[in-house]
Amino acid sequence: MKIKVKINGKWEEWEIDPSDYLLDVLRREGYLSVKKACDTGTCGACTVLVDGFPALSCSILAATMDGHEITTAEGIADEMDDYMKALASEGADQCGFCSPGLMVMVYALRKEIENGKVKKDEEAVKRYLIGNLCRCSGYLGQQRAIFKFLGVK
Amino acid sequence: MREVKKSVPKKDAYGLIRGKPVYTDDIAPRDSLVVKILRSPHAFARIKNIDASEALAMDGVELVLTYKDVPRKPITRAGQGYPEPSPYDKFILDEYVRYVGDEVAAVAARDERTAEEALKKIKVEYEVLEPVLDFEKAEGNPSVIHPEDDIFPQFDIGFDPKRNIAASYEMEIGDVDKILEECEKDPDCVVLKERFYTQAQAHVMLEPHASFAYIDMHGRLVIVSSTQTPFHVRRQVSMVLGIPIKNIRVIKPRIGGGFGGKQALHGEMIVALIAWKTKKPAKLVYTRREVFEATYTRHPSRFDVTLAATKDGKLKAIVYDVLWDTGAYGEHALTTLMVAGSKTLPMYNKVDGVRFRGKVVYTNHVPAGAYRGYGAIQANFALESAMDMLAEKLGIDPVDLRLKNIIREGETSPIFKIMGEGREGVEMIIKSCKLEQAIKRGAEVIDWKNKFRKREKNGSKVRGVGMAIAMQGSGIANIDMASAILKLNDDGSFNLLIGATDLGTGSDTILAQIAAEALGVSTDDIIVYSSDTDLTPFDTGAYASSTTYVSGNAVRVAAEKMRKLIIEEGAKKLGMSPEEVEFDGKVIRAKDGSKEVTLKELATVRYYTEDQKQLVADGSFVGPESPPPYAATFVEVEVDTQTGKVDVLRYVSILDIGTPINPNLARIQAEGGAVQGIGMALYEDVKYSNSGKLLTNNLMYYKIPSRLDVPDMHIEFLESYEPTGPFGAKSVAEIGIDTPPAAIANAVYDAVGARIKTLPITPEKVFFAMKK
Ligand code: FES
Ligand code: FES
C-alpha cells in the first residue's frame, strides 16, 4: 500500500506493507538517525515526533501514519545547536546510539515546558525523559547538559 | 599540560548527537543479503537430521548454511591476543547445540521477511540430551557438554572437557593451611569463612551486534563490524575460513557501546562466509532478543573466601575457592577467573599467605564472556563483603581495617608476578597509588564518623552506610600491543592513524589530545582515523582497560618522534642545527630569534618544492606493566523495613586514575561504570526457565537502571601521576564498576543487619534476611 506523510517538513509518498512498523520504514527511507535498539518499546532510541508529540516508532504501524506529520532528529538538529553544544561540552555523548532519540525527546520537552504542560524542575524533567535509556553515560552528564539547556535551576 | 587534563568535546560528538548514519547497519549496502540465524530451542541436543531443501527452494533465498556446509575447524570467538588463553571449543556451526539460542543454521535472503520465512522451512530433527543447568553440578556430570574430540586449548589452561571443565587454576603463596591452623588455635587471631554468589549480568549496549561483508573490486573480503577487536576478527576469520590475512580487511565504524560484549566475534564469520560464497554483500544485525539469548553474559560465580587476621586487624591470609560458570563455551574462562585474583588480592599485600583455587565449568547456558569488571567485580563483592564481616568480628571500623592492610606507593605484591591473564604476570612496583587518600577522602565526604552504625530511622525506613575499595589494571602487561602513525599534512595538520577501537568511550579524542600534547599543537589539528586493518597500524583492541595506557603510550611515542622530525627538518630549512631551534607548535624558530619558518610553510615546501618527502612517524607500545587505578567507594542507603527495598541515596567514589586526560570523559566513564555496577548490585539478573530457556530476553524483563534510579553521585579524581603512563595517565574504563555490589551490601547490613551474600540484593532477600 501507499501512504503519504509529511516528514521533516516535506511530503513524501511511501510504498509500504500493512504490517511494516514505522521504524523499519523510516530506516528504509533513509532516516537513519532513528535507531532500533530494543524493538519492544522500552528504550527510546527510536523516538520520533508524530504531529509534534513524541512516539516510539518501533511500536507504531506505518500504515497508521497516512496524512500525518513525522519529525526525526534529522529534522530538528539545526534548531538544537545549543543542546548539542551543552551535551558535547559535558562529554555526555558516549557511544551516541541513544542520542538522536533523546534529542527528539528534549525538543518535545522544551515545548511542553514553554506551554506550561511540564514543570521546569529536575524531577519533572527526569520523569519526562525516563523512557530514554542510556547504558554508557550513567545519565548524570546528560542531565547536567539538559538542565543547563532548559535553564532548570 | 595544555591539551591533556582538558575537557575538550568528543571529536565525534556533533555527528553522533544529530544522528548521522555512521553505525554498521546505517552504512550496510542497500542490496545486502539479509542473514538470519535459526537458533536451538533446546538447551542441549544433537542434530540428527537437518533438511534445508525447502528453504533453499524459496524465491529470494540465496544460501542456507548448516553444519554440513561450513569448515569444521575448532576456534574460539573470544577476540583475544594470539595464542588465545581460551579453548578452541567452538565451530561456526556444529552438530551439537549447547544452549537455547545456539546457532543451528544461517539463511541469506533478499530481505528480512523472506529470510524469516525460510528459517521456518528448515526441518531439524533433534536428539534431545540432558542439559546441565546447575553449575554446581557440572563437574563430572554424566552429561558431557563437549564430547567432541577435536577441541583443544592453545596451551595448558587446566582444560578437561570430559569433566565439563573449561579451565582451572591454582596458586599458593606461603603455607596457607598452616597459617589457618595456627590462627584457629590462637586466641589473638580470628578466621572468617564465607560463601558468596554473583549472578549473570547482561551488557545491554544499546546497539545490537551488527556486521556485514562484501567482496571488493580486487576480490578481497571486507568485513564491517561493531567490534572491539578488528585485528583479532581479521585473524580469526582468516583462520577459520582459510582466507589469507592479506585478502581480508576489517573496518569498525562508530559503534553503539560494547562493555566487553563486542570483544568476541558474533556474526562476522557467518557474513564473511556468505559474502565469500555468494560474492554478494551480506549483513547480519542481531535482534535485541538475540543479543540477550545468543551473545554473552558476565560469568556467574560461587565464591568462597577465607580470611585470617590478628585481633588488632592485621590480615594474615586470604583464601579464594572459586567456581565459575562459563556457559556453553569457554570464552574468557581462564582469564576472567585469574583476574578475580590478580585484580583484588594485591590490594591487601601485607598478608603471609594467599591461596587461589578456581575451576570454570561448562553449563548449557548462554556463554559467558568479557564484561567490564572481568572477574574483578565478582571477587570484589566477595572480598569486600568479607572484609566488612571481618571488621565487625574484630570490632574494628571497616575503614580502619582497610587502612591497616592496603597497598601503598612504592610497594609491590607477589601476585603481580604470579598471576597474569592466562599465564604468568610481571613484577611491578606500584609507582602511583592514592588508595589511602581515597579512603580517607571518601569517609570524609560521606561523613562516615557520624553515620556508621548510627542507623538513622525515618518511619519504617532505616539508613546505613557501607564502603568498598577496588583496583583494576591498565592493559595486559607484556601482551597487549598498540601502535600509531602520524603524518603531517601540507597545512600543518596531522593525520593520526591508530588501530585502537573507540566504542563510544571517546578514545579517538583522548588519543588526539595525547598526540597534540606531545607535539605541542592543538587537538583541533589532529585528524583521527582508527580501527581499519588496511589503513591503520596494529592494535590488540579495546579491552582490559588498555586504550588510554597502551594505545596512549603508542601515540605519545609516535608524536615525540614527529616532533623531533619537525625540529630537524625545520632546522635544515633554516640552515641551522636542531639544537639551535625550537618548535612552539606553529613556528620553528631560531633560539636566538634570528629566523623562523612556520610549520605550514615547512610542510608546503617539503611536499612541493624543496627536499621533497612525507613527514611521517610511527610508535608502538607494549605495557611492561599494568599500573592499577584505584577506587574507594562509600554509599548511603535507605532500607524500607516493611518491604526490604533498598534505595541508594548517595554514592561517593574517590578515584586514582593517574592524570585524567579528559576529565569530563573520565567522569562519564566513572559514572557510567558505577550505574552499571549499581544495576548489578540491586536488580539486574539473567534468569532461565527450568528447561534452560532464557526468561530475561528483552528490556521489559531484564531491567537496567533508568535515570530515576541514579543516586546523587560524588565522583572525585585525586591528584595522581603514573610515571609509566602517557602524561601520567592510567585506565578509567573498568574501575568504576567494581565497588557498588560490596559497598551497597555492606550499607544494607549497616542499616538493618541483613547480610546479603547472593547478588542481586533484591527486596525479597533483604526482607527475609532481616527476619532471621
Ligand atoms: S527501539 Fe523503540 S523503544 Fe527501543
Ligand atoms: S551514549 Fe551509549 S547508550 Fe547512551
Side-chain angles (χ1 to χ4, degrees), chain A residues 22-33:
Chain A
L22 177 60
L23 167 58
D24 298 314
V25 176
L26 284 168
R27 289 190 59 81
R28 195 162 72 215
E29 296 295 330
Y31 299 95
L32 294 164
S33 72

mmCIF file with all atom_site columns, all heavy atoms in Angstrom, chain A residues 22-33:
data_model
loop_
_atom_site.group_PDB
_atom_site.id
_atom_site.type_symbol
_atom_site.label_atom_id
_atom_site.label_alt_id
_atom_site.label_comp_id
_atom_site.label_asym_id
_atom_site.label_entity_id
_atom_site.label_seq_id
_atom_site.pdbx_PDB_ins_code
_atom_site.Cartn_x
_atom_site.Cartn_y
_atom_site.Cartn_z
_atom_site.occupancy
_atom_site.B_iso_or_equiv
_atom_site.pdbx_formal_charge
_atom_site.auth_seq_id
_atom_site.auth_comp_id
_atom_site.auth_asym_id
_atom_site.auth_atom_id
_atom_site.pdbx_PDB_model_num
ATOM 1   N N   . LEU A 1 22 ? 6.757  1.621  11.689 1.00 0.00 ? 22 LEU A N   1
ATOM 2   C CA  . LEU A 1 22 ? 7.258  2.922  11.251 1.00 0.00 ? 22 LEU A CA  1
ATOM 3   C C   . LEU A 1 22 ? 8.789  2.971  11.305 1.00 0.00 ? 22 LEU A C   1
ATOM 4   O O   . LEU A 1 22 ? 9.440  3.504  10.407 1.00 0.00 ? 22 LEU A O   1
ATOM 5   C CB  . LEU A 1 22 ? 6.647  4.027  12.121 1.00 0.00 ? 22 LEU A CB  1
ATOM 6   C CG  . LEU A 1 22 ? 7.120  5.447  11.840 1.00 0.00 ? 22 LEU A CG  1
ATOM 7   C CD1 . LEU A 1 22 ? 6.821  5.863  10.403 1.00 0.00 ? 22 LEU A CD1 1
ATOM 8   C CD2 . LEU A 1 22 ? 6.460  6.437  12.814 1.00 0.00 ? 22 LEU A CD2 1
ATOM 9   N N   . LEU A 1 23 ? 9.371  2.406  12.358 1.00 0.00 ? 23 LEU A N   1
ATOM 10  C CA  . LEU A 1 23 ? 10.829 2.423  12.499 1.00 0.00 ? 23 LEU A CA  1
ATOM 11  C C   . LEU A 1 23 ? 11.515 1.818  11.272 1.00 0.00 ? 23 LEU A C   1
ATOM 12  O O   . LEU A 1 23 ? 12.449 2.395  10.715 1.00 0.00 ? 23 LEU A O   1
ATOM 13  C CB  . LEU A 1 23 ? 11.226 1.639  13.772 1.00 0.00 ? 23 LEU A CB  1
ATOM 14  C CG  . LEU A 1 23 ? 12.689 1.263  13.953 1.00 0.00 ? 23 LEU A CG  1
ATOM 15  C CD1 . LEU A 1 23 ? 13.598 2.478  13.954 1.00 0.00 ? 23 LEU A CD1 1
ATOM 16  C CD2 . LEU A 1 23 ? 12.877 0.487  15.252 1.00 0.00 ? 23 LEU A CD2 1
ATOM 17  N N   . ASP A 1 24 ? 11.039 0.655  10.842 1.00 0.00 ? 24 ASP A N   1
ATOM 18  C CA  . ASP A 1 24 ? 11.686 -0.012 9.709  1.00 0.00 ? 24 ASP A CA  1
ATOM 19  C C   . ASP A 1 24 ? 11.501 0.792  8.424  1.00 0.00 ? 24 ASP A C   1
ATOM 20  O O   . ASP A 1 24 ? 12.418 0.879  7.606  1.00 0.00 ? 24 ASP A O   1
ATOM 21  C CB  . ASP A 1 24 ? 11.128 -1.424 9.547  1.00 0.00 ? 24 ASP A CB  1
ATOM 22  C CG  . ASP A 1 24 ? 11.423 -2.278 10.776 1.00 0.00 ? 24 ASP A CG  1
ATOM 23  O OD1 . ASP A 1 24 ? 12.580 -2.246 11.243 1.00 0.00 ? 24 ASP A OD1 1
ATOM 24  O OD2 . ASP A 1 24 ? 10.505 -2.940 11.288 1.00 0.00 ? 24 ASP A OD2 1
ATOM 25  N N   . VAL A 1 25 ? 10.334 1.386  8.275  1.00 0.00 ? 25 VAL A N   1
ATOM 26  C CA  . VAL A 1 25 ? 10.094 2.180  7.065  1.00 0.00 ? 25 VAL A CA  1
ATOM 27  C C   . VAL A 1 25 ? 10.983 3.427  7.073  1.00 0.00 ? 25 VAL A C   1
ATOM 28  O O   . VAL A 1 25 ? 11.605 3.765  6.067  1.00 0.00 ? 25 VAL A O   1
ATOM 29  C CB  . VAL A 1 25 ? 8.599  2.576  6.950  1.00 0.00 ? 25 VAL A CB  1
ATOM 30  C CG1 . VAL A 1 25 ? 8.378  3.478  5.744  1.00 0.00 ? 25 VAL A CG1 1
ATOM 31  C CG2 . VAL A 1 25 ? 7.733  1.325  6.861  1.00 0.00 ? 25 VAL A CG2 1
ATOM 32  N N   . LEU A 1 26 ? 11.068 4.090  8.212  1.00 0.00 ? 26 LEU A N   1
ATOM 33  C CA  . LEU A 1 26 ? 11.911 5.284  8.298  1.00 0.00 ? 26 LEU A CA  1
ATOM 34  C C   . LEU A 1 26 ? 13.357 4.951  7.932  1.00 0.00 ? 26 LEU A C   1
ATOM 35  O O   . LEU A 1 26 ? 13.991 5.668  7.152  1.00 0.00 ? 26 LEU A O   1
ATOM 36  C CB  . LEU A 1 26 ? 11.865 5.877  9.712  1.00 0.00 ? 26 LEU A CB  1
ATOM 37  C CG  . LEU A 1 26 ? 10.604 6.659  10.070 1.00 0.00 ? 26 LEU A CG  1
ATOM 38  C CD1 . LEU A 1 26 ? 10.565 6.931  11.573 1.00 0.00 ? 26 LEU A CD1 1
ATOM 39  C CD2 . LEU A 1 26 ? 10.551 7.975  9.292  1.00 0.00 ? 26 LEU A CD2 1
ATOM 40  N N   . ARG A 1 27 ? 13.859 3.861  8.484  1.00 0.00 ? 27 ARG A N   1
ATOM 41  C CA  . ARG A 1 27 ? 15.249 3.492  8.177  1.00 0.00 ? 27 ARG A CA  1
ATOM 42  C C   . ARG A 1 27 ? 15.392 3.147  6.693  1.00 0.00 ? 27 ARG A C   1
ATOM 43  O O   . ARG A 1 27 ? 16.374 3.523  6.056  1.00 0.00 ? 27 ARG A O   1
ATOM 44  C CB  . ARG A 1 27 ? 15.727 2.350  9.081  1.00 0.00 ? 27 ARG A CB  1
ATOM 45  C CG  . ARG A 1 27 ? 15.930 2.802  10.539 1.00 0.00 ? 27 ARG A CG  1
ATOM 46  C CD  . ARG A 1 27 ? 16.622 1.759  11.403 1.00 0.00 ? 27 ARG A CD  1
ATOM 47  N NE  . ARG A 1 27 ? 17.946 1.378  10.908 1.00 0.00 ? 27 ARG A NE  1
ATOM 48  C CZ  . ARG A 1 27 ? 19.063 2.068  11.110 1.00 0.00 ? 27 ARG A CZ  1
ATOM 49  N NH1 . ARG A 1 27 ? 19.040 3.171  11.829 1.00 0.00 ? 27 ARG A NH1 1
ATOM 50  N NH2 . ARG A 1 27 ? 20.205 1.648  10.604 1.00 0.00 ? 27 ARG A NH2 1
ATOM 51  N N   . ARG A 1 28 ? 14.400 2.448  6.164  1.00 0.00 ? 28 ARG A N   1
ATOM 52  C CA  . ARG A 1 28 ? 14.444 2.089  4.739  1.00 0.00 ? 28 ARG A CA  1
ATOM 53  C C   . ARG A 1 28 ? 14.435 3.341  3.866  1.00 0.00 ? 28 ARG A C   1
ATOM 54  O O   . ARG A 1 28 ? 15.101 3.404  2.842  1.00 0.00 ? 28 ARG A O   1
ATOM 55  C CB  . ARG A 1 28 ? 13.230 1.206  4.434  1.00 0.00 ? 28 ARG A CB  1
ATOM 56  C CG  . ARG A 1 28 ? 13.315 0.465  3.132  1.00 0.00 ? 28 ARG A CG  1
ATOM 57  C CD  . ARG A 1 28 ? 12.315 -0.685 3.136  1.00 0.00 ? 28 ARG A CD  1
ATOM 58  N NE  . ARG A 1 28 ? 10.938 -0.219 3.028  1.00 0.00 ? 28 ARG A NE  1
ATOM 59  C CZ  . ARG A 1 28 ? 9.905  -0.798 3.638  1.00 0.00 ? 28 ARG A CZ  1
ATOM 60  N NH1 . ARG A 1 28 ? 10.083 -1.867 4.396  1.00 0.00 ? 28 ARG A NH1 1
ATOM 61  N NH2 . ARG A 1 28 ? 8.685  -0.319 3.485  1.00 0.00 ? 28 ARG A NH2 1
ATOM 62  N N   . GLU A 1 29 ? 13.694 4.349  4.302  1.00 0.00 ? 29 GLU A N   1
ATOM 63  C CA  . GLU A 1 29 ? 13.602 5.584  3.511  1.00 0.00 ? 29 GLU A CA  1
ATOM 64  C C   . GLU A 1 29 ? 14.781 6.518  3.766  1.00 0.00 ? 29 GLU A C   1
ATOM 65  O O   . GLU A 1 29 ? 14.807 7.646  3.278  1.00 0.00 ? 29 GLU A O   1
ATOM 66  C CB  . GLU A 1 29 ? 12.288 6.309  3.820  1.00 0.00 ? 29 GLU A CB  1
ATOM 67  C CG  . GLU A 1 29 ? 11.034 5.539  3.411  1.00 0.00 ? 29 GLU A CG  1
ATOM 68  C CD  . GLU A 1 29 ? 10.915 5.335  1.899  1.00 0.00 ? 29 GLU A CD  1
ATOM 69  O OE1 . GLU A 1 29 ? 11.408 6.203  1.135  1.00 0.00 ? 29 GLU A OE1 1
ATOM 70  O OE2 . GLU A 1 29 ? 10.345 4.307  1.482  1.00 0.00 ? 29 GLU A OE2 1
ATOM 71  N N   . GLY A 1 30 ? 15.734 6.094  4.581  1.00 0.00 ? 30 GLY A N   1
ATOM 72  C CA  . GLY A 1 30 ? 16.953 6.880  4.739  1.00 0.00 ? 30 GLY A CA  1
ATOM 73  C C   . GLY A 1 30 ? 17.004 7.770  5.963  1.00 0.00 ? 30 GLY A C   1
ATOM 74  O O   . GLY A 1 30 ? 17.937 8.557  6.111  1.00 0.00 ? 30 GLY A O   1
ATOM 75  N N   . TYR A 1 31 ? 16.016 7.663  6.845  1.00 0.00 ? 31 TYR A N   1
ATOM 76  C CA  . TYR A 1 31 ? 16.061 8.462  8.090  1.00 0.00 ? 31 TYR A CA  1
ATOM 77  C C   . TYR A 1 31 ? 16.767 7.626  9.156  1.00 0.00 ? 31 TYR A C   1
ATOM 78  O O   . TYR A 1 31 ? 16.149 7.012  10.013 1.00 0.00 ? 31 TYR A O   1
ATOM 79  C CB  . TYR A 1 31 ? 14.647 8.893  8.494  1.00 0.00 ? 31 TYR A CB  1
ATOM 80  C CG  . TYR A 1 31 ? 14.047 9.754  7.418  1.00 0.00 ? 31 TYR A CG  1
ATOM 81  C CD1 . TYR A 1 31 ? 13.229 9.194  6.441  1.00 0.00 ? 31 TYR A CD1 1
ATOM 82  C CD2 . TYR A 1 31 ? 14.380 11.103 7.320  1.00 0.00 ? 31 TYR A CD2 1
ATOM 83  C CE1 . TYR A 1 31 ? 12.742 9.977  5.408  1.00 0.00 ? 31 TYR A CE1 1
ATOM 84  C CE2 . TYR A 1 31 ? 13.888 11.885 6.287  1.00 0.00 ? 31 TYR A CE2 1
ATOM 85  C CZ  . TYR A 1 31 ? 13.075 11.317 5.332  1.00 0.00 ? 31 TYR A CZ  1
ATOM 86  O OH  . TYR A 1 31 ? 12.605 12.084 4.294  1.00 0.00 ? 31 TYR A OH  1
ATOM 87  N N   . LEU A 1 32 ? 18.094 7.607  9.045  1.00 0.00 ? 32 LEU A N   1
ATOM 88  C CA  . LEU A 1 32 ? 18.881 6.631  9.810  1.00 0.00 ? 32 LEU A CA  1
ATOM 89  C C   . LEU A 1 32 ? 19.252 7.101  11.208 1.00 0.00 ? 32 LEU A C   1
ATOM 90  O O   . LEU A 1 32 ? 19.886 6.377  11.964 1.00 0.00 ? 32 LEU A O   1
ATOM 91  C CB  . LEU A 1 32 ? 20.143 6.261  9.007  1.00 0.00 ? 32 LEU A CB  1
ATOM 92  C CG  . LEU A 1 32 ? 19.832 5.503  7.711  1.00 0.00 ? 32 LEU A CG  1
ATOM 93  C CD1 . LEU A 1 32 ? 21.038 5.496  6.780  1.00 0.00 ? 32 LEU A CD1 1
ATOM 94  C CD2 . LEU A 1 32 ? 19.376 4.082  7.989  1.00 0.00 ? 32 LEU A CD2 1
ATOM 95  N N   . SER A 1 33 ? 18.833 8.319  11.572 1.00 0.00 ? 33 SER A N   1
ATOM 96  C CA  . SER A 1 33 ? 19.042 8.748  12.959 1.00 0.00 ? 33 SER A CA  1
ATOM 97  C C   . SER A 1 33 ? 18.136 7.941  13.892 1.00 0.00 ? 33 SER A C   1
ATOM 98  O O   . SER A 1 33 ? 18.373 7.878  15.087 1.00 0.00 ? 33 SER A O   1
ATOM 99  C CB  . SER A 1 33 ? 18.701 10.234 13.114 1.00 0.00 ? 33 SER A CB  1
ATOM 100 O OG  . SER A 1 33 ? 17.300 10.428 13.039 1.00 0.00 ? 33 SER A OG  1
#
